[in-house]
Amino acid sequence: MLSERSQIRKRLWKPQMARLLQHPPKFLPSEWHIANKNQCHKAEAQRSRSERLVAESQRLVDEIEKTTRKSQSDVNKKLEQRLEEIRFWKKELDDKLEQLVFATEDLLIYQTRLEKALESLKEPLHITQTCLEYREKRVGIDLVHDEVEQELIKEADVIQGVMALLTRTLEETTEQIRLNRSAKYNLEKDLKDKFVALTIDDICFALNNNSPNIRYSENVMRVEPNSVSLEDWLDFSNTNVEKADKQRNSSLLLKVLVDRVLSQTASDLHKQCDVVDTAFRNGLKETKGARDKLADHLAKVMEEVASQEKNVAVLEKAILDQEGPAKVAHTRLETRTHRPNVELCRDVAQYRLRKEVQDITHSVARLKETLAQAHTELKGLNRRQLALQEEIQVKENTIYIDEVLCMHLRKSIPLRDGDDHGEWAGGLRPDAVC
């Protein structure tokens, strides 16, 4: 097998060697002339294309130079227009900022008035709440939700309502000041950006082809990710101006509201103070009348207690008196059980003795039942006596709380009939609150 392959290789190698040893081919004279002519034609064509390219290049240079000058001139005009536009908006923002600053300063004054008004309501509210706390020390049935408590609660509600109204108004004022400052911040930030943009565009507008600081920059055609359109730019500044106008108008309306709130709340407090005082006087009159009636009933109950105690003594003596007959009957029955033999007979005497024991036991049970009832009634009378005494103490406690503590404390309230309760200057007047 191997020898066959070797023979095949030898047969293939001999023709290849013969071709390598042959001389290169020779061309004909006609072929030589054609080749020279082709070279001349190609050179002429190449030269013509080059001349046309030179002429076209000159025209292109002239055209591009003209276009560049025109483009640069157009850019300068656009930069000039842009500068005018920025200056216009900068002036608008400056005007709105000045107006907003004045409005905020006024609101700060009104904020102080409201804070003083709230502070001046604390003492009247403390007095009312103290009266309610005193009256919480009433005990028993007197811890009632009566007219006095209702009016005190209403008085506290009126004061707290005024305080809540003032607090809400103060919160609105504080929030409006915050909104004003937010709008002011946006205006100042916009103005700062406008100033920087104006400076940059001024520099750009002053540049020319002979400026010393001009240079190439890498990736100059990039679009910044945070860049905005012209419409967005206009909307941004216009929105800041509109917000500033809105907050300034809101500030003016809020000032009117504060004036009205401070001038309308003292009358309700004055009226409620008089209503509470009247309720206290009426309540004291009613409580004293109830105390006197309870005292009358206490005297009658004490008389009945003495009578029932005598009745208990009589019943106890009657029960004690039944012990002798009962012992005699028991002794007789016990003794007769010792009779001998047939003499232990259930005779008439035996039956009568048994009947006597039963009668005495029944009588004693009735007496004890009646005694128990008497003790129950006596306990009931004693409890009623204690209850009446406690109730009288309850009434005395209530009278002390209402008359000595509350009425005396309420005398320190400055507001009384005839006092002025008009508009509160610089906040809530301390002498205009009950």
Side-chain angles (χ1 to χ4, degrees):
M1 188 72 178
L2 292 173
S3 60
E4 292 179 357
R5 290 182 179 175
S6 299
Q7 293 175 1
I8 293 172
R9 289 195 191 100
K10 289 178 180 180
R11 286 196 298 267
L12 294 173
W13 178 75
K14 288 180 179 180
Q16 292 176 356
M17 289 297 296
R19 285 194 297 270
L20 291 173
L21 295 175
Q22 290 178 357
H23 294 288
K26 293 184 178 181
F27 297 96
L28 297 175
S30 60
E31 290 176 337
W32 180 84
H33 288 292
I34 292 172
N36 288 335
K37 187 181 292 186
N38 285 338
Q39 290 294 335
C40 292
H41 285 310
K42 288 180 180 179
E44 182 67 23
Q46 188 69 48
R47 185 179 58 79
S48 298
R49 286 198 300 271
S50 177
E51 289 175 353
R52 288 196 300 270
L53 180 60
V54 169
E56 182 67 25
S57 296
Q58 186 60 46
R59 288 195 299 272
L60 180 61
V61 167
D62 295 340
E63 180 183 351
I64 288 177
E65 183 179 1
K66 180 179 179 182
T67 301
T68 301
R69 285 197 300 271
K70 181 180 179 182
S71 176
Q72 195 174 69
S73 175
D74 186 54
V75 168
N76 287 336
K77 289 180 181 179
K78 292 294 187 290
L79 283 173
E80 186 177 10
Q81 293 172 0
R82 181 62 174 169
L83 287 169
E84 291 299 322
E85 193 171 21
I86 294 175
R87 291 189 186 100
F88 168 78
W89 280 107
K90 184 175 180 298
K91 185 177 184 306
E92 284 289 309
L93 293 171
D94 277 326
D95 293 342
K96 299 305 177 184
L97 178 61
E98 183 180 5
Q99 295 172 2
L100 194 60
V101 167
F102 289 150
T104 304
E105 289 174 353
D106 288 343
L107 278 185
L108 288 171
I109 296 173
Y110 276 76
Q111 184 184 45
T112 302
R113 290 183 62 191
L114 288 168
E115 290 171 347
K116 290 181 179 179
L118 277 170
E119 184 66 26
S120 65
L121 284 169
K122 290 182 179 179
E123 182 60 23
L125 180 61
H126 173 70
I127 291 174
T128 302
Q129 290 176 335
T130 302
C131 288
L132 285 169
E133 291 172 2
Y134 283 151
R135 298 194 91 243
E136 285 297 319
K137 296 178 182 178
R138 294 174 297 163
V139 294
I141 193 62
D142 272 27
L143 192 58
V144 63
H145 186 57
D146 56 5
E147 182 184 2
V148 176
E149 183 171 337
Q150 292 172 10
E151 294 302 333
L152 277 172
I153 292 175
K154 184 177 179 182
E155 183 177 60
D157 289 342
V158 170
I159 297 175
Q160 289 173 339
V162 172
M163 293 181 74
L165 177 60
L166 293 177
T167 300
R168 289 196 301 272
T169 308
L170 178 60
E171 289 173 352
E172 291 178 13
T173 304
T174 303
E175 176 64 13
Q176 187 59 55
I177 291 173
R178 187 194 68 81
L179 292 173
N180 286 3
R181 286 172 175 169
S182 176
K184 176 175 173 286
Y185 171 81
N186 291 331
L187 288 174
E188 289 174 339
K189 187 174 183 302
D190 200 357
L191 277 169
K192 181 180 178 182
D193 292 345
K194 291 287 187 294
F195 175 78
V196 173
L198 194 63
T199 303
I200 291 173
D201 282 351
D202 266 332
I203 293 173
C204 292
F205 181 72
L207 290 176
N208 57 57
N209 297 336
N210 298 319
S211 296
N213 296 325
I214 58 176
R215 65 189 182 281
Y216 285 107
S217 298
E218 294 183 1
N219 198 18
V220 72
M221 296 299 294
R222 69 184 181 278
V223 177
E224 296 294 341
N226 59 340
S227 63
V228 298
S229 66
L230 179 60
E231 290 76 12
D232 291 338
W233 179 83
L234 290 171
D235 289 342
F236 181 79
S237 294
N238 191 53
T239 298
N240 286 334
V241 169
E242 290 178 352
K243 285 183 178 179
D245 279 334
K246 179 182 178 182
Q247 302 310 329
R248 177 174 173 272
N249 293 333
S250 297
S251 298
L252 296 175
L253 293 174
L254 188 58
K255 286 167 58 179
V256 175
L257 174 64
V258 172
D259 285 332
R260 185 167 65 249
V261 167
L262 291 176
S263 66
Q264 288 181 349
T265 49
S267 178
D268 291 340
L269 298 171
H270 171 82
K271 291 177 182 178
Q272 187 59 30
C273 180
D274 291 339
V275 171
V276 172
D277 288 346
T278 302
F280 263 115
R281 288 191 293 269
N282 294 337
L284 281 169
K285 182 179 178 181
E286 186 176 9
T287 303
K288 289 178 179 178
R291 178 199 60 185
D292 295 340
K293 288 182 181 180
L294 291 172
D296 292 340
H297 282 287
L298 177 61
K300 293 177 182 179
V301 168
M302 292 177 69
E303 291 178 3
E304 188 59 29
V305 167
S307 175
Q308 192 62 251
E309 287 175 346
K310 291 178 182 179
N311 183 45
V312 168
V314 170
L315 290 170
E316 288 176 345
K317 183 178 181 303
I319 292 171
L320 189 61
D321 290 345
Q322 292 298 313
E323 288 184 359
K327 289 178 181 179
V328 170
H330 277 262
T331 302
R332 284 174 175 175
L333 282 171
E334 176 61 26
T335 302
R336 294 191 88 232
T337 61
H338 298 291
R339 290 176 294 167
N341 301 322
V342 75
E343 292 303 321
L344 190 61
C345 177
R346 296 190 296 276
D347 53 11
V348 176
Q350 185 73 12
Y351 281 111
R352 188 66 187 85
L353 280 170
R354 289 172 62 85
K355 181 68 167 58
E356 182 183 17
V357 170
Q358 291 175 352
D359 290 344
I360 291 173
T361 300
H362 180 66
S363 297
V364 170
R366 290 177 59 195
L367 287 170
K368 286 183 177 180
E369 182 181 358
T370 304
L371 179 60
Q373 293 177 355
H375 277 298
T376 301
E377 287 300 325
L378 183 58
K379 288 180 181 178
L381 288 169
N382 286 330
R383 285 195 298 269
R384 186 51 47 204
Q385 178 183 345
L386 289 174
L388 288 171
Q389 289 172 340
E390 289 176 358
E391 193 64 26
I392 290 172
Q393 288 299 317
V394 167
K395 296 295 183 287
E396 291 291 350
N397 179 64
T398 300
I399 292 171
Y400 174 76
I401 290 173
D402 285 353
E403 189 171 38
V404 178
L405 296 180
C406 293
M407 292 297 288
H408 177 74
L409 180 63
R410 291 184 65 79
K411 288 180 181 178
S412 62
I413 297 177
L415 182 60
R416 285 296 176 266
D417 291 337
D419 291 341
D420 178 24
H421 53 275
E423 183 178 356
W424 307 339
L428 196 64
R429 290 177 44 189
D431 63 341
V433 183
C434 182

